[in-house]
Amino acid sequence: MSETWKPVLSRSVVFRHDRVRGADLLILPERVVVLQGNAGSIVRLCDGARDVDAIVAELAGQHPGAPVADEVPAFLGRLRKEGWLK
């Protein structure tokens, strides 16, 4: 993963909050992924303007003491590997 990578959703992926389920979703062609826990708040920051360090810093400010420096880059890397982030 490049240090200057600025994650953004792939063109074929739509991020939505489903009020009925009370869950954040990634809507893909022929598939819906229900995001668990704070995953939606991470994906929401993937706007193509922030790099991974900026996303980690913002989340660390919102969740002091949480292991965001370890977990967020790994999570983003998994989404990138799936092709949901570019």
Side-chain angles (χ1 to χ4, degrees):
M1 181 176 343
S2 169
E3 290 181 30
T4 59
W5 177 43
K6 296 179 178 178
V8 64
L9 287 174
S10 295
R11 254 190 279 177
S12 60
V13 179
V14 175
F15 176 78
R16 289 238 169 91
H17 180 75
D18 182 347
R19 284 185 276 169
V20 174
R21 295 181 191 181
D24 292 317
L25 310 172
L26 292 179
I27 301 169
L28 307 123
E30 302 181 23
R31 185 173 177 195
V32 175
V33 176
V34 179
L35 298 173
Q36 304 293 319
N38 290 319
S41 64
I42 299 168
V43 171
R44 225 175 249 111
L45 296 174
C46 296
D47 57 6
R50 297 176 178 95
D51 63 15
V52 174
D53 289 343
I55 292 170
V56 168
E58 187 158 337
L59 291 167
Q62 294 173 10
H63 306 283
V68 295
D70 294 329
E71 295 180 359
V72 171
F75 173 71
L76 293 175
R78 287 194 306 271
L79 295 187
R80 187 180 201 183
K81 187 174 178 182
E82 291 287 342
W84 303 339
L85 289 176
K86 59 179 184 174

